Amino acid sequence: MDREGSLRRLYELVNAGDVDGFGEMLADDFIEHEETPGLAPTKDGVMQFFRMYIAAFPDLRFTAEDVLVSGDKVVARARATGTHQGEFMGIPPTGKSVDVQLIDIIRFSDDGLAREHWGVFDAMTMMQQLGVIPENAPE
């Protein structure tokens, strides 16, 4: 089973805006460990998150910069880029571009389905790039 290929395929589906195709690669009992307030840590919650994210950033792109496979887990150091064109978590569209780093760890089963996800996303940098919070903290 090509776990690296499965992770890259997940990114390709998000990049294409194909949330349903993305969902087909998640197990029905998928567990999301990077919880988002207001969304269930489940397959449905993750699909809802990506629908919201793509609506806000229609040109959203995930790019895997490093991918490491260890056992049934795949780790990616990636970038997310996009232009803020729709409401996102209560923030009206700014028209600004974002370019943020993230780490994804996904556990795949032998059938190629994603079973669990852990992640770290640089939300602070994204909020600074959107102009929601200042880039430099007061001294």
Side-chain angles (χ1 to χ4, degrees):
M1 199 235 122
D2 179 13
R3 288 177 168 82
E4 178 178 346
S6 293
L7 176 130
R8 290 185 185 278
R9 181 73 182 135
L10 286 171
Y11 285 177
E12 289 169 7
L13 290 164
V14 169
N15 293 347
D18 186 357
V19 176
D20 290 332
F22 175 88
E24 289 172 10
M25 292 192 62
L26 305 182
D28 288 339
D29 60 352
F30 178 84
I31 300 169
E32 176 58 70
H33 296 282
E34 183 185 6
E35 293 187 31
T36 302
L39 297 177
T42 62
K43 175 179 179 171
D44 289 340
V46 170
M47 291 176 66
Q48 184 179 349
F49 171 80
F50 278 108
R51 282 191 181 96
M52 174 183 70
Y53 209 133
I54 292 167
F57 299 88
D59 59 347
L60 179 66
R61 300 280 307 165
F62 279 87
T63 305
E65 297 189 331
D66 285 308
V67 178
L68 306 168
V69 179
S70 179
D72 61 355
K73 292 185 180 127
V74 181
V75 179
R77 180 180 65 84
R79 290 173 59 195
T81 58
T83 309
H84 185 211
Q85 298 175 21
E87 183 179 326
F88 181 68
M89 301 185 94
I91 303 165
T94 63
K96 295 183 178 182
S97 294
V98 297
D99 184 344
V100 295
Q101 298 286 318
L102 60 109
I103 302 290
D104 279 324
I105 304 171
I106 301 174
R107 183 176 69 81
F108 289 96
S109 52
D110 289 338
D111 60 7
L113 296 177
R115 298 281 168 179
E116 293 182 86
H117 170 263
W118 297 260
V120 178
F121 177 78
D122 190 356
M124 176 71 81
T125 294
M126 184 176 78
M127 294 299 158
Q128 289 173 333
Q129 291 172 354
L130 293 175
V132 177
I133 58 174
E135 291 200 31
N136 297 317
E139 295 184 20

